[in-house]
């Protein structure tokens, strides 16, 4: 239970006040136990990309397993006052919360799955009050980890098989920002982290070198390298740019030759500033001429997928990438626009719900939804969002929700799989959580199933993902009906 250990036993109050005021309203109106369906999804890919990597499900599972109002939680809620000084919540409602047990069905896409706009990543089905109450924590967990996993996948793609190390803890947004980012970055493709607590909690490999302060603490650069080499004779990578970078490389070589008779193994050098293309090329020449062809050249210094791609195009001789700030903060887009919307409520029969907007992208999809992914032996072909309560036609057609004139027919006998899988049934966990290395491997496999035109950074091709034609027609009719009522 890594998430719980990080902070406290109960995270039930990790939610917005309005979730509790709505819960209270449902309880007052006798609607608390009415069955409802919510979907969690996002509207637009981050970073201008063509795909998104789902992450955060394990922490959602931990949160929901521990969902229980403690005495401290209830005491705090009892202390809240309204605008006129009266108790915000009736004591009977507080007692109801104290007895509440989570009983919802939860279906979700496995972590590492590539997903697309409007596709439900999580579907919650159960008592309206409970399903409403968990909106904020699910969004805060999944939005951030999905964002960082996607960024890491893009960076790993740019690295073209090179090692990527997550170096971002000191620039992350707080303690949880660094821990969740380390976990999500590993899912997305990072091979290790510098964050020791993340390594302990999530069993992520940890890697690191040394800081400029280590070199500055000694009288000479040679003395600093030799002392570090003595301390770590099998695991030394020397940071060579404290003073003059290429002189630093030469001193690292000299110290290595001095220590070799003692069994010293030279790991390589790290560049943290300057013209990384020029310096890496010159450093590679010096290392190779000295007989250290296997020594790695590690680079850091505000890297991201675009800069790594540019450096590779210039022929930089870097084979390990230490990526920090721009990965763990999702520097160019610091939030994923994930939302959580009511899609159905049962009043005897299911009633499908929709949220209207002047912006088509913000109009929600009605129904109890599932995502069907069609594929062949080479790659993924298309995704279709459909209502599980309605029969599907023999020959499905997928309609782009933002441009209904764009439609894709699915050929007969095309292979498919449904993405949402059962996680909880009536509040009981029925899903076996995979370990983190398995999730990471699955991410690599998933991204590899996309055509390279969808994976590119600049103007990626749009993957065909949309509504089953019957669902699209129902949604259109429902919109027109509601517009007539305005």
């Amino acid at each position: 239970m890594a998430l719980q250990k990080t902070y406290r036993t109960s995270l039930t109050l990790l939610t917005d006040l309005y979730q509790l005021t709505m819960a209270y309203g449902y309880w007052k109106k006798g609607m608390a136990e009415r069955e409802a369906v919510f979907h969690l999804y996002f509207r637009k890919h981050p970073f201008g990309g063509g795909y998104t990597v789902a992450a955060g499900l394990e922490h959602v599972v931990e949160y929901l397993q521990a969902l229980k109002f403690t005495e401290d939680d209830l005491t705090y809620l009892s202390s809240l006052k309204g605008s006129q000084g009266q108790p915000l919540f009736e004591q009977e409602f507080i007692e109801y919360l104290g007895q509440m047990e989570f009983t919802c069905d939860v279906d979700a896409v496995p972590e590492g799955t590539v997903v697309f706009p409007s596709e439900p990543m999580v579907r919650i089905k159960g008592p309206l009050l409970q399903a409403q109450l968990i909106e904020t924590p699910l969004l805060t967990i999944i939005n951030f980890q999905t964002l960082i996993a996607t960024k890491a996948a893009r960076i790993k793609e740019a690295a073209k098989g090179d090692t990527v190390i997550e170096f971002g803890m000191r620039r992350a947004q707080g303690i949880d920002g660094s821990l969740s980012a380390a976990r999500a970055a590993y899912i997305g493709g990072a091979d290790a982290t510098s964050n020791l607590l993340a390594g302990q909690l999530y069993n992520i490999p940890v890697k690191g070198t040394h800081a400029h302060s280590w070199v500055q603490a000694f009288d000479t650069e040679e003395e600093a390298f030799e002392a570090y080499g003595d301390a770590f004779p099998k695991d030394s990578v020397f940071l060579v740019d404290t003073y003059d970078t290429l002189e630093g490389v030469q001193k690292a070589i000299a110290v290595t030759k001095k220590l070799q008779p003692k069994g010293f193994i030279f790991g390589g050098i790290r560049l943290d500033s300057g013209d990384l293309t020029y310096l890496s090329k010159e450093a590679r020449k010096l290392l190779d001429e000295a007989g250290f062809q296997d020594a790695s050249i590690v680079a850091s210094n505000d890297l991201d997928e675009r800069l790594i791609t540019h450096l590779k195009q210039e022929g930089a001789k870097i084979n390990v990438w230490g990526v920090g700030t721009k990965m763990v903060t999702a520097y160019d887009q610091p939030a994923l626009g994930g939302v959580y919307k009511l899609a159905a409520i049962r009043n005897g029969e299911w009633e499908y719900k929709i949220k209207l907007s002047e912006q088509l992208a913000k109009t929600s999809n009605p129904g109890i939804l599932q995502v069907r992914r069609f594929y062949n032996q080479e790659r993924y072909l298309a995704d279709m969002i459909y209502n599980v309560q309605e029969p599907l036609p023999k020959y499905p057609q997928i309609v782009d929700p933002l441009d209904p004139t764009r439609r894709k027919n699915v050929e007969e006998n095309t292979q498919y799989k449904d993405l949402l899988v059962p996680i909880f049934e009536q509040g009981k966990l029925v899903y076996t959580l995979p370990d983190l290395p398995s999730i990471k491997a699955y991410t690599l496999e998933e991204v590899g199933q996309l055509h390279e035109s969808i994976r590119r950074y600049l103007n990626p091709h749009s993957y065909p993902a949309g509504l089953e034609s019957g669902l699209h027609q129902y949604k259109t009719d429902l919109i027109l009906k509601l517009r007539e009522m305005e």
Side-chain angles (χ1 to χ4, degrees):
M1 288 290 183
L3 182 68
Q4 302 297 327
K5 288 180 181 178
T6 305
Y7 292 106
R8 43 181 273 181
T9 302
S10 173
L11 292 175
T12 304
L13 291 186
L14 182 66
T15 192
D16 291 312
L17 174 62
Y18 82 167
Q19 308 294 4
L20 268 297
T21 57
M22 285 188 286
Y24 178 58
Y26 294 144
W27 176 81
K28 287 280 286 184
K29 292 293 292 183
M31 298 171 61
E33 301 300 318
R34 187 171 295 175
E35 194 173 18
V37 174
F38 287 79
H39 299 116
L40 187 156
Y41 61 96
F42 62 92
R43 298 183 176 118
K44 186 178 180 181
H45 288 303
F47 317 117
Y51 66 91
T52 298
V53 176
L57 178 60
E58 182 176 341
H59 282 182
V60 167
V61 168
E62 291 183 9
Y63 175 83
L64 294 177
Q65 284 184 302
L67 186 65
K68 184 71 176 176
F69 287 94
T70 66
E71 286 300 319
D72 286 346
D73 295 336
L74 298 173
T75 299
Y76 173 72
L77 292 175
S78 297
S79 73
L80 297 179
K81 306 296 183 184
S83 60
Q84 305 303 310
Q86 78 284 8
L88 191 60
F89 303 118
E90 294 178 32
Q91 187 58 35
E92 191 177 347
F93 174 66
I94 299 295
E95 293 171 1
Y96 172 88
L97 293 179
Q99 297 170 4
M100 188 190 81
E101 294 185 1
F102 183 67
T103 59
C104 291
D105 293 343
V106 179
D107 295 82
V109 299
E111 290 191 90
T113 303
V114 290
V115 287
F116 299 89
S118 298
E119 297 181 350
M121 297 168 65
V122 182
R123 185 180 71 211
I124 306 293
K125 180 183 178 185
L128 176 59
L129 183 148
Q130 294 182 33
Q132 182 72 70
L133 199 63
I134 62 177
E135 172 184 2
T136 301
L138 265 60
L139 285 170
T140 194
I141 292 169
I142 290 176
N143 274 345
F144 182 66
Q145 292 200 40
T146 296
L147 183 73
I148 302 304
T150 305
K151 188 67 169 176
R154 291 163 60 87
I155 289 168
K156 186 64 176 179
E157 176 94 1
K160 303 297 182 187
D162 291 347
T163 297
V164 174
I165 305 173
E166 181 270 303
F167 271 0
M169 177 165 59
R170 65 187 58 201
R171 303 280 174 76
Q173 280 97 341
I175 295 171
D176 181 62
S178 69
L179 292 171
S180 295
R183 181 184 185 277
Y186 186 71
I187 287 173
D191 299 287
T193 180
S194 65
N195 187 330
L196 284 174
L197 185 55
Q200 180 192 40
L201 291 174
Y202 309 131
N203 199 29
I204 301 172
V206 292
K207 297 286 185 182
T209 59
H210 61 77
H212 295 107
S213 57
W214 173 267
V215 177
Q216 294 171 289
F218 293 85
D219 291 335
T220 67
E221 205 166 23
E222 294 94 334
E223 185 181 350
F225 292 161
E226 187 169 350
Y228 200 79
D230 283 336
F232 300 99
K234 310 297 183 185
D235 297 284
S236 283
V237 173
F238 298 135
L239 178 59
V240 295
D241 69 340
T242 304
Y243 304 117
D244 181 283
T245 300
L246 295 181
E247 284 187 13
V249 176
Q250 292 172 329
K251 291 172 183 177
I253 291 170
V255 168
T256 296
K257 290 182 176 180
K258 181 179 178 180
L259 294 177
Q260 276 184 320
K262 301 179 184 180
F264 177 77
I265 298 175
F266 186 27
I269 63 166
R270 178 161 73 98
L271 306 173
D272 190 50
S273 60
D275 185 334
L276 294 179
T277 299
Y278 169 76
L279 292 172
S280 66
K281 288 180 177 179
E282 293 302 308
R284 186 76 270 164
K285 289 179 187 177
L286 293 170
L287 292 168
D288 290 351
E289 289 169 1
F292 299 121
Q293 290 86 356
D294 293 333
S296 294
I297 297 180
V298 183
S300 43
N301 190 26
D302 286 337
L303 300 172
D304 65 6
E305 67 272 33
R306 291 180 174 83
L307 182 52
I308 291 172
T309 298
H310 179 68
L311 289 167
K312 281 189 164 291
Q313 289 171 344
E314 289 186 330
K317 302 299 183 180
I318 298 162
N319 61 344
V320 179
W321 306 88
V323 187
T325 304
K326 293 190 176 180
M327 180 154 61
V328 303
T329 66
Y331 193 82
D332 42 343
Q333 185 181 325
L336 179 71
V339 294
Y340 185 90
K341 298 298 180 184
L342 177 68
I345 193 163
R346 192 191 287 273
N347 290 303
E349 299 292 326
W350 282 109
E351 295 179 8
Y352 301 140
K353 300 294 182 177
I354 191 170
K355 185 262 181 190
L356 297 183
S357 174
E358 296 301 320
Q359 298 172 262
L360 188 58
K362 289 192 173 184
T363 298
S364 63
N365 293 318
I368 303 174
L369 305 181
Q370 173 64 279
V371 183
R372 180 157 293 182
R373 176 160 291 165
F374 297 95
Y375 61 93
N376 59 24
Q377 292 182 337
E378 296 179 356
R379 64 177 63 93
Y380 291 150
L381 301 175
D383 287 6
M384 180 179 73
I385 303 168
Y386 69 96
N387 186 353
V388 299
Q389 297 294 110
E390 301 297 328
L392 291 175
K394 184 177 181 180
Y395 303 107
Q397 185 181 66
I398 301 170
V399 182
D400 187 327
L402 299 183
D403 182 0
T405 64
R406 295 181 63 189
R407 303 187 174 213
K408 183 177 180 65
N409 294 314
V410 179
E411 296 181 4
E412 187 177 5
N413 298 323
T414 303
Q415 292 178 288
Y416 66 83
K417 60 181 178 180
D418 286 343
L419 300 189
L420 292 169
V421 299
I423 309 298
F424 288 87
E425 291 181 357
Q426 296 184 342
K428 306 299 181 184
L429 182 65
V430 296
Y431 179 72
T432 301
L433 291 166
D435 60 29
L436 218 52
S438 298
I439 299 172
K440 178 187 175 185
Y442 180 61
T443 301
L444 184 63
E445 177 184 327
E446 282 281 287
V447 174
Q449 290 292 318
L450 300 176
H451 191 275
E452 61 183 13
S453 65
I454 297 166
R455 304 199 306 263
R456 69 189 179 211
Y457 309 133
L458 184 62
N459 299 321
H461 186 74
S462 294
Y463 176 84
L467 305 181
E468 183 271 322
S469 57
L471 174 60
H472 173 264
Q473 187 60 53
Y474 179 85
K475 177 181 177 179
T476 301
D477 293 343
L478 185 56
I479 291 172
L480 293 173
K481 178 181 177 181
L482 292 173
R483 293 289 190 207
E484 290 174 358
M485 296 170 59
E486 291 178 352

